[in-house]
């Protein structure tokens, strides 16, 4: 007696898109195209903000406004990449998910570096001394 696997159910036209896996060719093509389009958009917008900094011609307020706008745009772009990766995961397109996670990782690293650079250029104010603090001057007799 041999074991025969149960027959697969026939394809029903009303099935949801995530009920079956995306074909491999379409998956790879979509992953590559999305990655290239997202890279082009990121570079184009980054170039635009760089031109805004260049056009500011040393005016600190405009330069900082452009830097903050670029940080905010990069955060929103990162969220969009994660949403697209989630939709690709829902559509059962593993290569598209990999390309989107890779793109999100690169954008997250660039965002982290940009935020770190901005924070280093804009340190917080020094803390105020305690009201009971008396400075120690040489020869004042108040030094401990």
């Amino acid at each position: 007696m041999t074991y025969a696997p149960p027959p697969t159910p026939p394809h029903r036209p009303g099935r949801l898109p995530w009920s079956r896996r995306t074909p491999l060719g379409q998956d790879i093509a979509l992953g590559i195209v999305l990655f290239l389009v997202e890279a082009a958009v990121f570079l184009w917008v980054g170039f635009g903000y760089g031109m805004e900094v260049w056009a500011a011609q040393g005016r600190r307020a405009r330069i900082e406004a452009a830097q903050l706008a670029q940080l905010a745009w990069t955060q929103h772009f990162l969220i969009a990449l994660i949403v697209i990766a989630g939709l690709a995961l829902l559509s059962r397109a593993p290569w598209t998910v990999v390309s989107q996670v890779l793109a999100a990782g690169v954008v997250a690293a660039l965002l982290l570096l940009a935020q770190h650079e901005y924070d280093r250029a804009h340190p917080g104010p020094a803390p105020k001394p305690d009201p009971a603090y008396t400075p120690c001057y040489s020869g004042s007799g108040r030094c401990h």
Side-chain angles (χ1 to χ4, degrees):
M1 190 178 204
T2 61
Y3 172 75
T8 58
H11 175 67
R12 295 185 310 210
R15 295 183 78 171
L16 298 173
W18 54 82
S19 63
R20 64 185 189 290
R21 189 172 173 195
T22 304
L24 184 64
Q26 292 176 359
D27 181 20
I28 291 174
L30 181 64
I32 291 171
V33 168
L34 272 175
F35 187 82
L36 293 176
V37 167
E38 290 161 352
V41 167
F42 186 79
L43 291 174
W44 184 258
V45 171
F47 177 74
Y49 282 117
M51 292 303 291
E52 179 67 30
V53 169
W54 175 76
Q57 301 215 352
R59 289 184 234 139
R60 287 304 314 160
R62 274 185 70 188
I63 291 172
E64 289 178 11
Q67 289 173 339
L68 287 175
Q70 183 177 13
L71 285 174
W73 183 86
T74 306
Q75 289 172 348
H76 293 115
F77 189 68
L78 179 61
I79 291 168
L81 288 176
I82 293 170
V83 167
I84 292 172
L87 291 173
L89 187 64
L90 188 64
S91 298
R92 296 180 63 189
W95 290 103
T96 304
V97 172
V98 168
S99 74
Q100 295 307 295
V101 168
L102 179 66
V106 169
V107 170
L110 291 173
L111 177 62
L112 182 71
L113 289 173
Q115 284 181 335
H116 180 68
E117 180 183 335
Y118 185 83
D119 289 342
R120 285 188 59 152
H122 300 86
K128 294 187 177 190
D130 186 30
Y133 171 74
T134 55
C136 176
Y137 298 110
S138 177
S140 66
R142 291 186 269 170
C143 300
H144 298 280

